[in-house]
Amino acid sequence: MSQDAVLREIKAVDSEHKKNLLSDGWRMYQLQKHLASKDHPYHKFSTGSWETLETKPKERGLDIRHELLKFYENYSANLMHLVVYGKESLDCIQGLVDRLFSDIKNTDRISFKCPSHPLSEEHLQLLVKALPIEEGDYLRLIWPIIPSIQFYKEGPCHYLSHLIGHEGEGSIFHIIKELGWAMNLMAGESTNSTEYSFFSVSMRLTDAGHEHMEDIVGWIFKYLFLLKEDGVHEWIFNELVAINETEFHYQDKIDPISYVTGTVSSMRLFPPEEWLVGSALPSKYVPQRIMMILDQLSPERVRIFWESKKFEGCTTSAEPWYNTSYSVENVTPSVIQQWIQKAPTEKLHLPEPNMFIPKDFALKEVTEKVTFPKVLRKTPLSRLWYKPDLLFSTPKVHIIIDFHCPLSSHSPEAYVSTDLFVDLLVDYLNAYAYDAQIAGLYYSIYLTSDGFQVSLGGYNDKMRVLLNAILKQIANFEVKPNRFSALKETTVKDYQNFNFRQPHSQASFYVSLILEDKKWPVAEKLEALAKLESDSLAKFLPNLLSKTFLECYIQGNIEPSEAKSIAQEIEDTIFNTPNTMFKSMSPSQYLTKRVIMLENELKCHYQIEGLNQKNENSSVIQYIQVHQDDASSNIKLQLFSLIASQPAFNQLRTVEQLGYITSLSLRSDYGVWALQVLIQSTVKDPSYLDARIDEFFKMFESKIHELSDKDFKRNVKSLIDSKLEKFKNLWEESHFYWGEIDAGILKFDRVESEVALLRELKKEEFIAFFDQYIKLDAPQRRTLSVQVFSGNHSAEFKKAAAEADPPKTYRITDIFGFKRSRPLYSSLKGGPGRITMD
């Protein structure tokens, strides 16, 4: 722990803190901590900054390195846990552990315990009004509770969060959603400790919901009183036990790093026999324990946090670390009782038994060993790709239905209309499909570049029931004006919140805006959305859906005959339902996204001021466009990224201390591959950051040219090993194959072919590729630098704007004029051996 390393790390921590200063999540979390007992560790600042790690310690005469070394003494073997997960034998792993870890000293340290709960009576019965950075109103009710980890076999909070956070008919959320007051609701326990914990109910409010905050709080307490009066139901507990047991038994394999971190965390909390299970399988029905936690969710113990821009000018205090404006009022149980009495009388009730809990886990017999997806069925309306599960032996299936609608993105108006149509579909399905998600059947409907997509995954037993409901909702869609208004309001705020995104996220959007055809600026989408009304959306939809083609993919525990039956059901429901708006699309109308081709030996740059000038961070993305998907070029670019990513991070972040967010990575836009170097910084402006990226490539040129045969072979082997890593679950495998279908490339043997090429790759070929495409003065280097300037760097922005462009550079001032002047890469769909509509 050298003095220099300590100073670098303090700067990195400070850079991370500055990244979070305008993040509402961090701000509100710290506000909750601030309004707690000052002598409790929970009250403290949760991360670190230059002030806490450098300025204040020096003022107190402390040597921070000395303090760090003292703190290191807490790392005693008796307080530490270790998980090693590998394919070697246990004897081999034990030998490895003995060799690598036996030097860790055991100094018999005592584990730290928090003295008490962080909230005393003065911190309860509060209504806290806080001013957020982003658009959107949020309401959160929080109660201090006894940590349910102490009763993990009984799962009291799991039972309560299931009921309070339910979204089906009769639930808190369903009623306030139907009234147009809230857009979501989450309930559950959150804890960092075995000594104290919190139960929270949080939701996003609409403007109307903001006006009815008291009614919403009244309803929440009405429901809590209903649970008390109704008592604990054993059938609900047993239903949750069955769901948990099924989920645990058929859990998917995950990344080893995620598995070991999850397991090592369990070791800290549970006895050895429970390390691999943790709290996943509550099985003891103890209604008194559930009632004990429920009793703690009382008006006497509540803290209400209410976030809204409408509180501008009405706050009285500021939280010291993030400067969040807030005010505090007392809200007594008698006040809450008044809210309960005046809340509307809509009927709250418990959920019905869950019809989606799977019963049939039989594995289907696979008669034909299909290695890669194959086309099982094709008509003028749809095409079905199919692959059985040959790897995982799990009773699950993944279904993707891609609705290709060429009129979905031809203008900003079409884009926002399609976006709202998709949001309304999800909204309409929520109450019915919520039970399916609880039971392990997941679905999503989302916008794509050329239409929208429905994805379903989970146990195959009840999958068709859910699929049928989704298809009927799509085929019989109608615009409900009240839900349209609520969703439009939320969507407007989401678009407005683009201004408050991290600068590196804004820079990434500008890169996409410059590269992709049919991508629209946020300002134009907002303008189109402001004019959109429910009747104009209703008029747009028949036009949108009058040209539709369905690309379907089914993989998993399913036989070919059933897959065909599902495809037929999809087609019949979508195209043949009475009064359906869907009609077929001719092959000539099949449109694809294309990417502009940058110019060789030319560096284009786009400089813009950040949309939130209060954010101290600036950002640059240097994008180096290399090639369109091709196995030989792919492996060379991937190999360079593997070799260069760590040195780039080390030089630009660790050594030069340019910013906490720093990376060199690969990027693919519709099959056009590139390198991307990203830096977000408070200390330097984007022009300077861009020059340092250039300097890194200049410096790294010698490293590539001097690469030893041994290092070259080691890196090639590492890349081969990563490519040969097996799919861990059905979803990983199906997403890989669907990616090939969606891109139109159909390189289902991509891994095998690229590994074969890597085994034959010569170092000289790799260096020649670097010299041709990547090095600073490479003849085919095509570069785009997008630079977002913060308020901190406004002077540098003005200076950069006034400077003359150096040779071989081009300043983009009109994104769309620039795009019109550039040729496009061909689409990967429709080439030889690739997808065509015919």
Side-chain angles (χ1 to χ4, degrees):
M1 297 185 194
S2 70
Q3 191 68 48
D4 183 52
V6 170
L7 187 61
R8 283 201 309 268
E9 190 57 30
I10 291 172
K11 288 179 178 178
V13 169
D14 186 63
S15 179
E16 182 181 11
H17 171 60
K18 286 177 176 171
K19 169 184 73 70
N20 300 333
L21 277 172
L22 299 181
S23 164
D24 282 329
W26 284 101
R27 293 164 68 85
M28 297 306 157
Y29 175 56
Q30 189 62 46
L31 180 57
Q32 291 169 35
K33 287 157 63 68
H34 178 65
L35 298 172
S37 300
K38 288 183 169 54
D39 56 353
H40 195 284
Y42 176 77
H43 173 79
K44 293 185 177 185
F45 179 38
S46 59
T47 56
S49 65
W50 183 261
E51 182 185 1
T52 60
L53 296 171
E54 178 68 13
T55 307
K56 285 189 173 181
K58 278 189 173 176
E59 288 173 358
R60 292 160 55 199
L62 294 176
D63 179 337
I64 196 69
R65 179 175 176 271
H66 178 66
E67 295 300 315
L68 190 64
L69 291 170
K70 274 169 55 181
F71 185 76
Y72 173 66
E73 293 170 10
N74 290 302
Y75 287 81
S76 172
N78 69 303
L79 299 182
M80 301 171 79
H81 298 90
L82 172 69
V83 175
V84 181
Y85 179 31
K87 61 182 182 293
E88 296 80 8
S89 70
L90 287 177
D91 287 344
C92 179
I93 291 174
Q94 184 174 340
L96 186 74
V97 168
D98 288 342
R99 189 168 73 253
L100 293 177
F101 296 95
S102 58
D103 287 344
I104 294 177
K105 294 174 184 173
N106 180 3
T107 56
D108 287 321
R109 289 269 164 170
I110 297 171
S111 182
F112 173 79
K113 300 284 184 186
C114 286
S116 60
H117 205 286
L119 304 183
S120 57
E121 286 189 13
E122 66 180 288
H123 306 114
L124 305 177
Q125 299 180 28
L126 300 182
L127 171 60
V128 182
K129 297 178 179 177
L131 190 63
I133 298 296
E134 295 190 3
E135 298 291 337
D137 293 10
Y138 293 87
L139 182 65
R140 185 177 288 108
L141 281 70
I142 301 173
W143 296 265
I145 61 168
I146 298 171
S148 68
I149 192 75
Q150 298 177 17
F151 323 110
Y152 65 93
K153 282 290 187 187
E154 298 153 23
C157 282
H158 185 49
Y159 179 96
L160 291 171
S161 62
H162 167 69
L163 294 177
I164 298 167
H166 208 279
E167 298 180 17
E169 290 188 7
S171 67
I172 300 167
F173 176 66
H174 185 258
I175 289 173
I176 58 178
K177 189 194 91 165
E178 289 301 304
L179 288 165
W181 294 355
M183 301 308 297
N184 59 32
L185 185 145
M186 289 155 287
E189 182 184 21
S190 60
T191 181
N192 295 318
S193 166
T194 54
E195 283 84 36
Y196 65 89
S197 188
F198 304 97
F199 193 96
S200 66
V201 179
S202 56
M203 66 200 75
R204 181 174 183 176
L205 303 178
T206 61
D207 289 343
H210 179 90
E211 299 303 317
H212 288 273
M213 182 277 292
E214 296 175 2
D215 292 328
I216 293 169
V217 173
W219 253 325
I220 292 170
F221 279 105
K222 261 189 181 178
Y223 193 79
L224 295 176
F225 293 158
L226 168 70
L227 295 182
K228 285 183 183 179
E229 290 169 9
D230 222 33
V232 179
H233 290 259
E234 190 169 5
W235 73 265
I236 296 177
F237 183 85
N238 290 339
E239 192 175 85
L240 293 173
V241 167
I243 291 168
N244 290 335
E245 286 179 348
T246 301
E247 183 181 359
F248 185 81
H249 185 71
Y250 294 105
Q251 63 184 293
D252 296 312
K253 197 172 183 181
I254 58 174
D255 279 326
I257 195 164
S258 301
Y259 185 74
V260 295
T261 51
T263 305
V264 86
S265 298
S266 291
M267 291 170 71
R268 190 173 61 84
L269 300 171
F270 302 102
E273 65 272 17
E274 305 288 356
W275 283 348
L276 301 184
V277 178
S279 59
L281 295 175
S283 56
K284 290 183 181 176
Y285 178 61
V286 185
Q288 303 94 310
R289 197 74 73 196
I290 295 169
M291 293 302 290
M292 180 191 77
I293 299 292
L294 186 56
D295 286 339
Q296 294 180 338
L297 308 185
S298 67
E300 288 80 8
R301 297 169 56 81
V302 75
R303 287 150 58 93
I304 303 171
F305 287 81
W306 189 11
E307 305 164 36
S308 176
K309 284 279 188 84
K310 299 176 182 70
F311 299 140
E312 186 97 54
C314 303
T315 55
T316 56
S317 305
E319 187 279 320
W321 296 108
Y322 292 85
N323 200 35
T324 304
S325 297
Y326 72 96
S327 60
V328 179
E329 302 170 18
N330 283 107
V331 54
T332 62
S334 59
V335 168
I336 288 178
Q337 191 58 45
Q338 292 171 19
W339 294 355
I340 294 169
Q341 288 169 354
K342 77 182 185 73
T345 56
E346 270 77 3
K347 182 69 174 170
L348 291 162
H349 61 80
L350 296 179
E352 298 294 323
N354 192 335
M355 61 175 281
F356 286 102
I357 295 175
K359 302 287 193 297
D360 181 3
F361 301 103
L363 297 180
K364 308 293 172 68
E365 188 177 344
V366 180
T367 53
E368 185 183 356
K369 308 295 183 189
V370 181
T371 308
F372 297 131
K374 69 174 186 177
V375 176
L376 208 57
R377 182 181 182 276
K378 186 179 176 187
T379 74
L381 302 174
S382 70
R383 174 172 36 224
L384 169 64
W385 295 85
Y386 165 76
K387 186 185 180 303
D389 172 23
L390 301 176
L391 291 177
F392 307 107
S393 300
T394 185
K396 298 178 181 180
V397 67
H398 191 195
I399 300 174
I400 296 172
I401 313 164
D402 189 69
F403 289 73
H404 187 95
C405 307
L407 299 180
S408 64
S409 59
H410 70 276
S411 68
E413 290 76 14
Y415 179 92
V416 299
S417 298
T418 310
D419 191 13
L420 219 44
F421 162 62
V422 168
D423 286 347
L424 284 165
L425 274 175
V426 174
D427 184 79
Y428 295 170
L429 283 161
N430 187 69
Y432 175 81
Y434 183 75
D435 270 347
Q437 292 182 303
I438 291 171
L441 269 179
Y442 303 100
Y443 80 100
S444 58
I445 308 175
Y446 47 87
L447 208 59
T448 63
S449 61
D450 48 22
F452 65 100
Q453 195 171 108
V454 176
S455 175
L456 299 94
Y459 306 109
N460 49 274
D461 182 25
K462 305 290 177 64
M463 182 66 77
R464 289 191 76 162
V465 179
L466 177 62
L467 174 62
N468 184 259
I470 293 171
L471 294 174
K472 284 183 176 177
Q473 186 66 70
I474 294 171
N476 299 307
F477 182 85
E478 59 180 48
V479 180
K480 299 175 183 176
N482 64 325
R483 296 310 301 150
F484 171 87
S485 298
L487 284 158
K488 176 184 170 180
E489 177 195 305
T490 306
T491 306
V492 165
K493 290 177 181 176
D494 289 343
Y495 284 174
Q496 290 171 338
N497 283 335
F498 177 76
N499 293 355
F500 304 108
R501 276 199 209 169
Q502 290 283 350
H504 73 83
S505 178
Q506 293 182 13
S508 184
F509 174 81
Y510 293 133
V511 171
S512 297
L513 187 63
I514 291 167
L515 292 175
E516 298 173 21
D517 66 339
K518 298 187 190 68
K519 191 170 182 79
W520 310 108
V522 175
E524 291 185 16
K525 290 190 283 192
L526 258 173
E527 186 180 346
L529 190 55
K531 297 174 185 173
L532 185 66
E533 299 299 337
S534 59
D535 56 347
S536 54
L537 177 61
K539 289 174 186 173
F540 166 79
L541 289 175
N543 193 33
L544 167 72
L545 305 177
S546 65
K547 296 174 176 59
T548 302
F549 182 78
L550 305 181
E551 194 85 61
C552 305
Y553 180 66
I554 301 179
Q555 178 175 336
N557 184 41
I558 192 164
E559 294 167 345
S561 58
E562 188 180 0
K564 286 181 183 177
S565 168
I566 288 173
Q568 184 68 58
E569 179 187 352
I570 292 169
E571 200 173 283
D572 288 346
T573 308
I574 294 300
F575 290 103
N576 299 329
T577 297
N579 304 318
T580 182
M581 293 181 278
F582 287 88
K583 294 183 173 56
S584 65
M585 179 176 73
S586 62
S588 64
Q589 295 168 320
Y590 198 91
L591 299 180
T592 56
K593 276 275 193 178
R594 296 174 67 183
V595 175
I596 72 157
M597 186 183 292
L598 299 175
E599 191 169 321
N600 290 342
E601 294 188 281
L602 183 69
K603 184 175 190 177
C604 303
H605 59 268
Y606 178 67
Q607 296 168 320
I608 188 169
E609 289 186 288
L611 296 174
N612 178 15
Q613 286 290 287
K614 291 180 182 177
N615 194 319
E616 297 179 8
N617 294 274
S618 292
S619 187
V620 65
I621 290 179
Q622 190 176 118
Y623 166 94
I624 304 163
Q625 194 176 72
V626 182
H627 68 278
Q628 193 167 32
D629 192 80
D630 166 77
S632 177
S633 297
N634 291 351
I635 59 167
K636 294 165 191 167
L637 187 62
Q638 290 161 7
L639 186 59
F640 176 79
S641 176
L642 178 70
I643 293 171
S645 57
Q646 178 56 35
F649 181 87
N650 182 62
Q651 179 63 34
L652 299 171
R653 183 188 187 270
T654 307
V655 176
E656 299 189 34
Q657 292 283 298
L658 295 177
Y660 178 75
I661 298 178
T662 302
S663 66
L664 181 152
S665 59
L666 294 175
R667 174 172 174 145
S668 175
D669 297 85
Y670 303 99
V672 176
W673 285 92
L675 279 172
Q676 175 175 284
V677 184
L678 180 156
I679 305 175
Q680 181 167 293
S681 177
T682 56
V683 294
K684 296 293 182 181
D685 72 275
S687 295
Y688 179 91
L689 301 175
D690 188 60
R692 297 314 301 161
I693 294 169
D694 283 349
E695 191 59 35
F696 168 77
F697 279 106
K698 190 175 178 182
M699 175 271 293
F700 204 67
E701 185 179 331
S702 61
K703 296 282 194 299
I704 294 295
H705 287 163
E706 294 164 11
L707 193 65
S708 69
D709 290 344
K710 181 181 176 183
D711 283 344
F712 174 75
K713 288 175 181 175
R714 178 175 56 81
N715 281 290
V716 167
K717 182 180 182 304
S718 178
L719 185 56
I720 289 172
D721 288 347
S722 69
K723 285 183 175 293
L724 291 178
E725 188 176 327
K726 293 176 182 176
F727 296 118
K728 283 173 280 301
N729 52 59
L730 182 70
W731 324 116
E732 270 193 16
E733 185 185 27
S734 61
H735 279 122
F736 171 78
Y737 288 129
W738 172 252
E740 294 295 322
I741 295 166
D742 189 42
I745 307 170
L746 308 185
K747 284 284 289 180
F748 298 134
D749 64 344
R750 177 180 296 276
V751 170
E752 294 82 358
S753 62
E754 290 186 353
V755 165
L757 288 169
L758 272 168
R759 295 192 197 281
E760 301 299 320
L761 182 65
K762 303 284 191 293
K763 185 175 78 170
E764 295 72 25
E765 296 171 336
F766 170 67
I767 293 172
F769 177 84
F770 170 80
D771 288 343
Q772 186 74 13
Y773 295 100
I774 299 172
K775 79 172 185 177
L776 206 55
D777 57 351
Q780 286 184 261
R781 195 183 211 257
R782 300 189 289 269
T783 312
L784 168 66
S785 175
V786 170
Q787 303 172 15
V788 177
F789 289 75
S790 71
N792 271 13
H793 299 128
S794 56
E796 290 88 343
F797 174 74
K798 289 170 185 170
K799 181 183 175 186
E803 286 176 345
D805 296 335
K808 295 188 177 181
T809 65
Y810 176 81
R811 185 190 304 269
I812 300 173
T813 53
D814 174 6
I815 288 178
F816 294 94
F818 173 74
K819 287 167 76 165
R820 285 190 289 268
S821 73
R822 299 301 310 151
L824 298 171
Y825 278 97
S826 62
S827 168
L828 291 170
K829 290 188 177 181
R834 293 171 175 153
I835 290 180
T836 62
M837 280 284 295
D838 298 318

